[in-house]
Amino acid sequence: MKITKTFINIIFSVLIAISLVGAIALLPENINGVSLSFVKSVNFLILLIILLLILRHFFYNIWEKSVNFCKAIFSHKITWVVIIALVLLWQLVCVFLLSGTSTWDWMFLVQRATTAKLGWPWPNYLSVNPNNTMLLKLESIYFHLLGRPSFEHFMYALNIANVAIVDFGTYLIWKLAKKFTSPLVAKLTFVLTLVLFTCVPFFVIPYSDTLSFFLTAAILYTVVRAIDFQQKKRFYLFGFLLGFELLLSYLLKPSLMVLLIAVLFVFVLLIVTRNGQIKLKSAGIMLAISIAFLAIGSVLMKEYLYHHNGIVKVDTRQALPMSHFAAMGITGDGDYNVTDMFNSANIKDPEARNKASLRLIKERFINQGGILGYEKFLIHKQIKNSADGSMAWGHEVYYLKAFHPNNEQLEKTFPRRYFLEKNGIATEGKFDFRTVQQIFWIIALVLILGSIFDQSLWGLFLKISAVGFFAFLLIFEGGRTRYLIQFLPVLFLLASLGMQRGINYVAQIRRNKQG
């Protein structure tokens, strides 16, 4: 067990260190683009900090009373109820002000689900990308349950549902952090999650990213709860629940199977080391039920989704193979490549398509300069995959265009000025937003790196999951931090462990000084 932990820690720390270096390197570029109003806000914040330091130095009694007063306020449940209410209000305001249209995958699906007269630019999209059929079906069901509203109204309703999904995932992260760390660290983890994801309007983009964020949190929570109970009947129930979550994950975001691999890895490790932390027989039954549910369910659901979904015909012979995405992932920044996509899609025979992608992988590996060149490329790609704290907001060619972009009153609102350009389009040029996110992301990465000092089984499981997700993005299509969203719950929970270790270390130093 000790050797395994050391090995995982080394790989994990190298990956996070590369991400941290890349994140710090991005900060000057972001700061260089900030507005004058942002500079004024920073100056005000610096002045406030100076005043607080003066207060602490010259008026210590007043300072101590103020600190105790703040502690009392933030330890009260009503304060957190108010904070949550304000977060919900912010999210709903953003839904109203920022919901809109786009020209990338999520827009294709919404158009098809609503049969909106906005054009269907890619008739065989779901045949080429059948993994999005489940999301299309869910959106179609929701559309009909709402009574077939107008496209704009449906987008508002869809994004409100997206808010609920994101918020529930955030709640589960807080619950898990509360279980494995102190109440203070759990609250700070909650705040970090709010700043870096929950309050950022990814919820106005109804795609698999936000759903996978929730599913990752749900799978982690289910595994932990199952181990907590350790009763046969409970294990059976949790087995079916975990199986359902894994099935939904597989149909929406196959990369989430990394979590199942991490669970199995830890389970085998416990068997080999004869570790008695959990009842292995009961856990084995639960995993067997989950895997059986996933295997049978995936076959049945694929048959239904691809041939009987009632919306569109899916020809799986046109589907892009995994080798295609591996070929994408080994050139340039390792991100989406339009030329590769059309070249693969134009090859009609599935076997020939796969062979062409495999040849391309070999050619690109040689062009990288062999093993050492590929290693250099992986370092570059890890930075591209994980350094941007905005999670690649505005990165796509036409990321998001808000409804009513020419409305002057709406244009003056803070969410539009902060996240969108004057024409109502989200771009990478919103440097005020990007700078704030980058600073908090650097803090998060430092805390995540600190989790290497955590030796718990929970920490090991999270680190194995993180390494698995990073490896997936390094091998296959990646190249932007938007793909991190699917396993942000893992990273935030690792940050909580790093934070706890840091607090414990400082407390130990203080005790040693006093002793």
Side-chain angles (χ1 to χ4, degrees):
M1 178 76 82
K2 189 176 180 180
I3 295 172
T4 304
K5 285 183 178 179
T6 302
F7 179 70
I8 294 296
N9 269 335
I10 290 170
I11 298 173
F12 175 76
S13 59
V14 168
L15 289 169
I16 298 301
I18 291 169
S19 301
L20 181 58
V21 170
I24 293 170
L26 276 178
L27 192 57
E29 179 187 342
N30 290 338
I31 292 174
N32 191 49
V34 299
S35 65
L36 293 178
S37 58
F38 183 86
V39 176
K40 288 179 183 177
S41 300
V42 172
N43 288 340
F44 175 77
L45 185 62
I46 292 170
L47 181 61
L48 182 63
I49 292 170
I50 292 170
L51 290 173
L52 289 173
L53 290 173
I54 292 171
L55 179 67
R56 186 179 185 277
H57 186 76
F58 293 103
F59 306 96
Y60 187 76
N61 290 335
I62 298 174
W63 166 262
E64 195 171 18
K65 287 179 181 178
S66 301
V67 169
N68 291 334
F69 177 72
C70 290
K71 284 181 180 179
I73 288 176
F74 284 99
S75 63
H76 209 289
K77 287 184 179 180
I78 294 176
T79 303
W80 291 98
V81 169
V82 171
I83 290 171
I84 291 167
L86 290 173
V87 169
L88 282 170
L89 179 61
W90 164 259
Q91 290 173 318
L92 292 174
V93 168
C94 285
V95 166
F96 173 70
L97 292 173
L98 304 179
S99 293
T101 61
S102 182
T103 57
W104 56 290
D105 301 62
W106 69 266
M107 192 64 193
F108 297 162
L109 297 173
V110 177
Q111 286 181 26
R112 196 70 183 88
T114 59
T115 61
K117 295 178 181 179
L118 299 176
W120 180 237
W122 196 349
N124 63 333
Y125 171 81
L126 287 166
S127 294
V128 176
N129 302 280
N131 58 299
N132 279 328
T133 312
M134 183 65 187
L135 183 56
L136 170 66
K137 186 62 183 177
L138 291 174
E139 290 179 351
S140 178
I141 291 170
Y142 190 46
F143 176 68
H144 286 89
L145 284 174
L146 293 174
R148 299 172 63 88
S150 68
F151 180 81
E152 183 175 339
H153 288 160
F154 179 62
M155 283 302 304
Y156 293 135
L158 195 58
N159 290 336
I160 288 171
N162 218 8
V163 166
I165 290 165
V166 167
D167 288 355
F168 194 23
T170 303
Y171 168 75
L172 294 177
I173 291 170
W174 169 74
K175 288 285 286 184
L176 288 167
K178 188 180 177 185
K179 177 174 176 56
F180 292 100
T181 61
S182 67
L184 172 62
V185 170
K187 287 174 182 176
L188 291 174
T189 304
F190 176 70
V191 172
L192 190 68
T193 306
L194 291 182
V195 173
L196 282 172
F197 183 71
T198 309
C199 289
V200 181
F202 293 108
F203 46 77
V204 303
I205 298 172
Y207 197 39
S208 55
D209 297 329
T210 48
L211 276 166
S212 57
F213 170 85
F214 161 71
L215 285 168
T216 296
I219 290 169
L220 294 174
Y221 187 76
T222 300
V223 170
V224 169
R225 292 291 289 172
I227 293 170
D228 275 350
F229 283 103
Q230 296 202 21
Q231 297 173 4
K232 267 192 177 180
K233 290 182 180 179
R234 295 277 188 174
F235 264 111
Y236 295 147
L237 291 173
F238 279 115
F240 283 111
L241 177 58
L242 181 60
F244 175 75
E245 291 168 349
L246 288 170
L247 175 61
L248 199 55
S249 300
Y250 176 69
L251 295 170
L252 287 167
K253 203 83 166 178
S255 54
L256 294 190
M257 292 303 99
V258 166
L259 292 169
L260 175 59
I261 295 169
V263 170
L264 292 172
F265 185 94
V266 172
F267 180 69
V268 171
L269 189 63
L270 291 174
I271 292 174
V272 171
T273 57
R274 297 180 181 179
N275 191 297
Q277 292 187 50
I278 62 172
K279 293 180 180 179
L280 295 177
K281 187 177 179 181
S282 299
I285 293 170
M286 182 190 76
L287 286 173
I289 292 171
S290 301
I291 293 169
F293 191 100
L294 170 63
I296 296 169
S298 61
V299 172
L300 296 175
M301 284 301 295
K302 278 187 174 182
E303 174 65 23
Y304 168 72
L305 289 171
Y306 297 165
H307 305 294
H308 309 286
N309 63 66
I311 307 168
V312 64
K313 290 183 179 180
V314 177
D315 179 10
T316 54
R317 283 179 55 83
Q318 298 182 42
L320 298 172
M322 289 299 290
S323 56
H324 162 82
F325 297 101
M328 271 190 185
I330 198 173
T331 186
D333 291 336
D335 58 350
Y336 180 74
N337 188 309
V338 178
T339 304
D340 277 11
M341 189 278 298
F342 280 113
N343 287 342
S344 290
N346 288 333
I347 301 172
K348 303 304 177 186
D349 180 59
E351 188 176 344
R353 188 183 306 126
N354 184 49
K355 285 181 178 179
S357 294
L358 291 173
R359 282 196 303 272
L360 196 57
I361 292 170
K362 186 177 180 180
E363 289 173 12
R364 287 175 173 174
F365 178 78
I366 294 170
N367 291 336
Q368 292 287 357
I371 293 174
L372 294 178
Y374 185 57
E375 183 183 347
K376 178 184 174 183
F377 168 77
L378 289 178
I379 293 171
H380 168 76
K381 191 178 178 185
Q382 175 66 11
I383 291 171
K384 288 292 182 180
N385 284 347
S386 57
D388 180 10
S390 75
M391 304 299 147
W393 176 264
H395 182 77
E396 310 295 338
V397 176
Y398 189 170
Y399 187 81
L400 172 70
K401 183 174 183 178
F403 292 123
H404 315 294
N406 299 319
N407 187 308
E408 291 184 5
Q409 287 185 319
L410 297 181
E411 187 185 307
K412 293 175 183 177
T413 59
F414 177 73
R416 285 214 175 176
R417 286 187 291 110
Y418 195 58
F419 296 110
L420 308 179
E421 301 292 349
K422 288 185 177 181
N423 56 7
I425 296 176
T427 70
E428 292 182 286
K430 303 307 293 180
F431 289 105
D432 292 1
F433 159 68
R434 292 175 67 84
T435 300
V436 172
Q437 298 305 110
Q438 199 65 22
I439 291 168
F440 277 96
W441 183 235
I442 290 169
I443 293 169
L445 287 171
V446 170
L447 295 172
I448 292 166
L449 189 59
S451 68
I452 61 172
F453 298 105
D454 182 272
Q455 299 300 314
S456 66
L457 187 63
W458 171 241
L460 177 64
F461 169 58
L462 291 176
K463 279 176 263 190
I464 291 169
S465 300
V467 169
F469 276 116
F470 280 129
F472 186 91
L473 294 180
L474 286 171
I475 296 168
F476 300 103
E477 179 192 350
R480 65 196 71 175
T481 48
R482 180 173 68 81
Y483 295 117
L484 285 189
I485 291 173
Q486 62 187 304
F487 69 105
L488 280 179
V490 172
L491 296 177
F492 290 148
L493 289 168
L494 281 166
S496 74
L497 296 180
M499 197 184 307
Q500 186 66 67
R501 294 295 297 181
I503 289 173
N504 292 346
Y505 179 71
V506 171
Q508 183 63 44
I509 291 174
R510 286 180 175 176
R511 283 195 296 269
N512 292 340
K513 283 184 177 180
Q514 290 173 357

